[in-house]
C-alpha cells in the first residue's frame, strides 16, 4: 500500500532548487557576518523527485526532528533559530546556529540521521565559516544509498535508481517506522 506522499503538492523545477540553495548559503554568510565563530546546522530532507513538500512531507519532517530537539535539550546545547520555513516549495527547512561546538553538533546530527531507517531522509548539514563538516571528519564512511548501499552521491550522479524506486523505499521506511 502506497501513500499519496509523492502525489500531492506542487512540482519543483531544478532552477528553483538551485535558487533555494543559493539563498540558504547567503543566509549562512549573513549570519557569520554577525557571529563569525558560530556553527550553522541546516536541517532538510533528502526527497527525490519533483514534489518536495506537502502536508504529509511536512508532518514527517517534524516527526523526524523530534529526537533531534530532545537530544539538544538532553545535552543542554544552546542554539538560535536563524531560519525556519516548513512551507517552502523546495521542502521544509530549518537553520539554527549553535555556538562553536561544530564536532558536537555533527556527532548529534549523525546520531539522529542514523537512528531509524526513515531517519536517513534527514539531511543535517553542520558548517563553520571555514568548512562543512563531513562524516569523514568523524572517521565514518560517506552516506549510503537508500537502495543498494553504494555511496549515495555516486548513485545520485549516475541516476542508478529510478525516482519511483526511491520513493517506494521512502514510503516503506516511513510506514515501517510509523511516521505515515
Amino acid at each position: 500500500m502506497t501513500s499519496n506522499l509523492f502525489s500531492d503538492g506542487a512540482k519543483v523545477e531544478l532552477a528553483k532548487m538551485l535558487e533555494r540553495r543559493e539563498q540558504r548559503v547567503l543566509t549562512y554568510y549573513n549570519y557569520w557576518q554577525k557571529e563569525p565563530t558560530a556553527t550553522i546546522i541546516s536541517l532538510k530532507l533528502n526527497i527525490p523527485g519533483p514534489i518536495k513538500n506537502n502536508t504529509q512531507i511536512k508532518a514527517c519532517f517534524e516527526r523526524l526532528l523530534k529526537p533531534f530537539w530532545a537530544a539538544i535539550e538532553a545535552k543542554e546545547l544552546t542554539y538560535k533559530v536563524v531560519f525556519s520555513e516548513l512551507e517552502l516549495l523546495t521542502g521544509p527547512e530549518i537553520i539554527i546556529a549553535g555556538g562553536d561546538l561544530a564536532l558536537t553538533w555533527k556527532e548529534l546530527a549523525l546520531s539522529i540521521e542514523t537512528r531509524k531507517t526513515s531517519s536517513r531522509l534527514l539531511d543535517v548539514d553542520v558548517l563553520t565559516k571555514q568548512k562543512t563538516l563531513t562524516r569523514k571528519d568523524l572517521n565514518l564512511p560517506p552516506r549510503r544509498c537508500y537502495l543498494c548501499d553504494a555511496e549515495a552521491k555516486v548513485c545520485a550522479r549516475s541516476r542508478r535508481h529510478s525516482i519511483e524506486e526511491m520513493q517506494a523505499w521512502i514510503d516503506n521506511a516511513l510506514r515501517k517506522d510509523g511516521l505515515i
Side-chain angles (χ1 to χ4, degrees), residues 21 142-143 145 148 150-161 166:
R21 183 187 309 164
R143 184 183 283 266
C145 172
C148 71
E151 190 174 334
K153 286 182 181 180
V154 172
C155 286
R157 283 189 195 123
S158 69
R159 299 183 187 260
R160 181 177 293 168
H161 311 290
M166 291 184 287

Side-chain angles (χ1 to χ4, degrees), residues 52-150:
K52 305 290 186 188
N53 207 350
N54 59 35
T55 303
Q56 263 191 304
I57 291 171
K58 182 177 75 169
C60 287
F61 181 66
E62 291 174 315
R63 288 183 200 119
L64 286 166
L65 284 179
K66 281 184 180 182
F68 180 76
W69 302 125
I72 290 172
E73 189 173 315
K75 290 184 177 285
E76 298 181 352
L77 296 171
T78 57
Y79 68 93
K80 176 182 177 182
V81 175
V82 176
F83 177 86
S84 178
E85 182 56 68
L86 302 180
E87 304 293 336
L88 287 172
L89 181 66
T90 54
E93 188 177 320
I94 299 172
I95 300 170
I96 63 174
D100 63 356
L101 303 170
L103 282 175
T104 300
W105 284 103
K106 186 63 180 178
E107 288 169 351
L108 176 69
L110 288 170
S111 73
I112 299 305
E113 287 177 342
T114 58
R115 188 172 169 267
K116 290 183 169 186
T117 303
S118 60
S119 300
R120 294 178 63 196
L121 297 174
L122 285 172
D123 183 10
V124 184
D125 293 328
V126 178
L127 311 96
T128 67
K129 195 171 182 181
Q130 292 74 34
K131 72 178 281 182
T132 299
L133 275 75
T134 66
R135 291 165 182 255
K136 189 175 183 179
D137 292 317
L138 297 174
N139 297 315
L140 295 171
R143 184 183 283 266
R144 309 318 292 171
C145 172
Y146 295 147
L147 299 173
C148 71
D149 205 39

